[in-house]
Amino acid sequence: MSRSASCGGYRRLEHALMIYAGLSKPKSISCRFYSFMISAIIDLALRAFNVEASKMKKYLRDPNVRRGLMNVLASISEFGLVKPQILLAPFLVVWNFTNACNLKCKHCYQSAGKPSSDELTLEEKLQVVEELDEVGIASLAFSGGEPLVVKDHLLRVAHEASRRGIYVALATNGTLLTRSVVRELKEAGVKYVEISLDSADPRVHDSFRGVPGAFKAAIEGVRNCVEEGLFTCIATTVTKINVHEIPRIVELAKKLGANRFIAFNFIPVGRGREILDLDLSPEERELFLEELSRLAIEGGIEVVCTAPQYARVMLEVSEGKFTAVSHFYVGSTSFSNYIKTIAEFIGGCGAGRMYCAIQPNGDVVPCVFMPDLVVGNLRKQHFADIWNNSKVFKALRDRSSLKGSCGNCNFKNVCGGCRARALAYLGDIHGPDPGCLRNSKYYYEVIEELKSKLIELKT
């Protein structure tokens, strides 16, 4: 999506969407014809899914929604409608903004603590935002480390991203979310805040986070975000320690007024390698995802999960009426005949295909849980060059290369298996996901060997 492809001062496609939403009018005959074609395509899709045009027009008045739809439509135009869909630009970029952190979490994928010596300067960070805007990303999530440790840089960069029409999110441990800080975030354009909570029990949470009082501060942070009107999510990395607590944490999220609960797949990378034995077995994960699916169907709060198997499990539990893929939740009688098709379009694991991550020093990786698989650096390359030309990204977009049960599964396009888990356990981004019940033999074959290696490293 090039800025040169403009109409009436806007990108051509964006202007057509604004015309459809009633926010603008055609500026020329060519604009009128182009907007007519785009409107006709949208109306056909809405009729197929039994969705009212008035609702879509309302959604498209939001610039963030328009930006996301622009990416999807332009990608379909470029690559065709494929399963899973390949995008011209990532729908989401997670930016590990700093390696500095005020906690000592046992499962930290970044092994965060002190800032890295080679972290990007403020000027370099603003240049990154410009490049992300140029390729047309829809969403940018700041993570870490703890981004609020470097609050001044965060606010400046978040404001710049928001000003450019990018949906801005923040993933945080919540301990620094005072009322005044939350207001500053809101003023900077942050719309979504995801706060980590490892347990509904303060003692368990504080033990996992390594600092007394972390639970109390995080809960206060949740309350401040809710009261300031930010979309608020509580996030839990699920392990053997807290898997039995998930219903309690979901209820706590509802009680606090959060909009969403998300369960994160535990991946043994970073400090997480040291607690490999806390990872769920495939059988435990299957039962957990079944329970999570029922909690989602029950309603009262959005319930999503980064384990790609969640899409399959929810389809099975709901008898094809509901599904959820990472941060996307789909469930409606209007879509009852298309739920699996939509899930195949979104495609489960999105590493290198729908999303990627940026490290504090500008390194680009397919996923935050693949911190050592560097495919480029933004000090040396433009983001567009990395996204379009990385051999690793191209490989991750090819589901025909999946091995083992993942390659033969009839839910290959719905799920695809967690590529970070395959890499962490088997050293192969195309390997079978050992976290899935259908690949359980790989989990048990590898787990003892990895435990032995970790014991050797410790001694």
Side-chain angles (χ1 to χ4, degrees):
M1 290 180 287
S2 168
R3 286 188 180 276
S4 62
S6 62
C7 178
Y10 294 93
R11 297 182 188 186
R12 193 179 183 198
L13 181 54
E14 182 177 21
H15 190 225
L17 295 177
M18 292 181 71
I19 292 170
Y20 182 83
L23 296 175
S24 187
K25 294 181 179 180
K27 307 295 184 183
S28 66
I29 293 176
S30 61
C31 258
R32 187 182 300 277
F33 177 74
Y34 184 77
S35 63
F36 172 79
M37 294 298 295
I38 294 298
S39 297
I41 292 169
I42 294 173
D43 285 337
L44 280 172
L46 294 178
R47 280 198 291 272
F49 289 107
N50 194 27
V51 176
E52 295 178 12
S54 59
K55 290 183 178 180
M56 178 57 74
K57 290 178 180 180
K58 180 180 179 181
Y59 291 141
L60 287 176
R61 293 187 185 113
D62 184 331
N64 300 133
V65 174
R66 290 199 302 274
R67 191 179 183 94
L69 186 57
M70 283 167 58
N71 188 6
V72 172
L73 292 176
S75 298
I76 292 173
S77 176
E78 178 73 17
F79 303 112
L81 190 61
V82 295
K83 299 178 183 179
Q85 188 62 45
I86 299 171
L87 298 180
L88 284 168
F91 195 85
L92 168 68
V93 171
V94 176
W95 188 346
N96 292 325
F97 204 63
T98 179
N99 212 50
C101 190
N102 59 331
L103 300 185
K104 305 171 185 176
C105 306
K106 293 179 180 179
H107 54 342
C108 181
Y109 57 78
Q110 277 291 107
S111 299
K114 295 180 180 180
S116 306
S117 60
D118 59 348
E119 292 187 3
L120 299 175
T121 65
L122 177 58
E123 291 73 20
E124 288 173 322
K125 291 171 181 174
L126 293 171
Q127 176 61 35
V128 169
V129 171
E130 182 175 337
E131 292 184 13
L132 296 178
D133 177 35
E134 287 176 359
V135 298
I137 72 158
S139 306
L140 178 62
F142 295 102
S143 187
E146 173 49 57
L148 288 172
V149 170
V150 288
K151 186 187 69 171
D152 291 345
H153 278 202
L154 174 66
L155 292 173
R156 179 71 181 85
V157 177
H159 179 268
E160 181 61 20
S162 177
R163 185 188 69 80
R164 291 172 177 267
I166 300 171
Y167 186 88
V168 179
L170 171 68
T172 170
N173 60 44
T175 60
L176 303 177
L177 289 172
T178 63
R179 180 61 66 87
S180 62
V181 167
V182 172
R183 286 173 178 164
E184 286 182 287
L185 290 169
K186 189 174 180 180
E187 290 171 3
V190 175
K191 294 185 176 181
Y192 177 108
V193 179
E194 185 176 278
I195 299 161
S196 299
L197 206 65
D198 294 309
S199 172
D201 183 332
R203 292 170 299 177
V204 175
H205 177 84
D206 288 359
S207 174
F208 227 69
R209 295 277 152 176
V211 174
F215 179 88
K216 182 180 179 181
I219 293 297
E220 189 62 25
V222 173
R223 290 196 176 102
N224 289 335
C225 289
V226 170
E227 290 175 10
E228 287 296 325
L230 291 175
F231 191 101
T232 307
C233 172
I234 286 180
T236 300
T237 300
V238 183
T239 65
K240 291 181 186 293
I241 286 178
N242 60 13
V243 64
H244 63 285
E245 277 198 78
I246 298 305
R248 286 180 60 200
I249 300 174
V250 171
E251 284 304 310
L252 176 59
K254 290 180 182 178
K255 183 179 178 181
L256 291 169
N259 305 91
R260 171 182 288 174
F261 170 80
I262 184 168
F264 272 88
N265 227 2
F266 169 72
I267 314 292
V269 294
R271 280 201 292 270
R273 294 188 182 97
E274 299 174 13
I275 55 169
L276 178 68
D277 56 327
L278 297 184
D279 193 10
L280 301 182
S281 69
E283 292 80 6
E284 288 171 328
R285 181 170 285 100
E286 190 79 4
L287 291 172
F288 157 66
L289 292 176
E290 289 175 1
E291 180 176 45
L292 200 67
S293 296
R294 287 188 282 270
L295 290 170
I297 295 166
E298 183 182 292
I301 189 172
E302 291 182 19
V303 178
V304 291
C305 181
T306 63
Q309 294 83 12
Y310 187 47
R312 167 186 60 80
V313 172
M314 189 181 286
L315 279 169
E316 293 171 343
V317 169
S318 70
E319 298 180 342
K321 296 177 182 177
F322 298 88
T323 194
V325 185
S326 188
H327 285 65
F328 301 97
Y329 179 71
V330 182
S332 168
T333 53
S334 300
F335 300 113
S336 58
N337 296 325
Y338 304 95
I339 295 294
K340 188 176 180 182
T341 299
I342 295 171
E344 288 177 331
F345 176 81
I346 298 171
C349 180
R353 180 182 59 85
M354 293 193 81
Y355 115 98
C356 67
I358 300 172
Q359 294 286 52
N361 67 349
D363 282 343
V364 176
V365 295
C367 171
V368 294
F369 297 109
M370 298 178 177
D372 300 321
L373 187 58
V374 178
V375 300
N377 184 278
L378 295 174
R379 282 185 167 127
K380 303 173 183 177
Q381 300 161 271
H382 193 287
F383 182 85
D385 294 335
I386 298 172
W387 180 257
N388 292 324
N389 300 317
S390 163
K391 291 181 180 179
V392 172
F393 283 175
K394 289 180 179 179
L396 286 166
R397 295 164 192 166
D398 181 10
R399 289 282 164 90
S400 67
S401 298
L402 295 181
K403 301 172 184 176
S405 296
C406 282
N408 300 320
C409 183
N410 58 341
F411 286 94
K412 176 170 66 175
N413 290 331
V414 169
C415 168
C418 176
R419 298 299 94 215
R421 180 176 292 279
L423 182 64
Y425 274 95
L426 305 174
D428 184 354
I429 59 172
H430 287 134
D433 176 358
C436 179
L437 190 63
R438 303 181 180 198
N439 293 318
S440 58
K441 68 174 184 177
Y442 297 100
Y443 172 83
Y444 292 109
E445 285 175 359
V446 173
I447 192 73
E448 292 303 323
E449 181 183 349
L450 288 178
K451 283 182 179 178
S452 299
K453 288 182 179 178
L454 286 172
I455 291 170
E456 290 176 10
L457 288 172
K458 289 180 180 179
T459 56

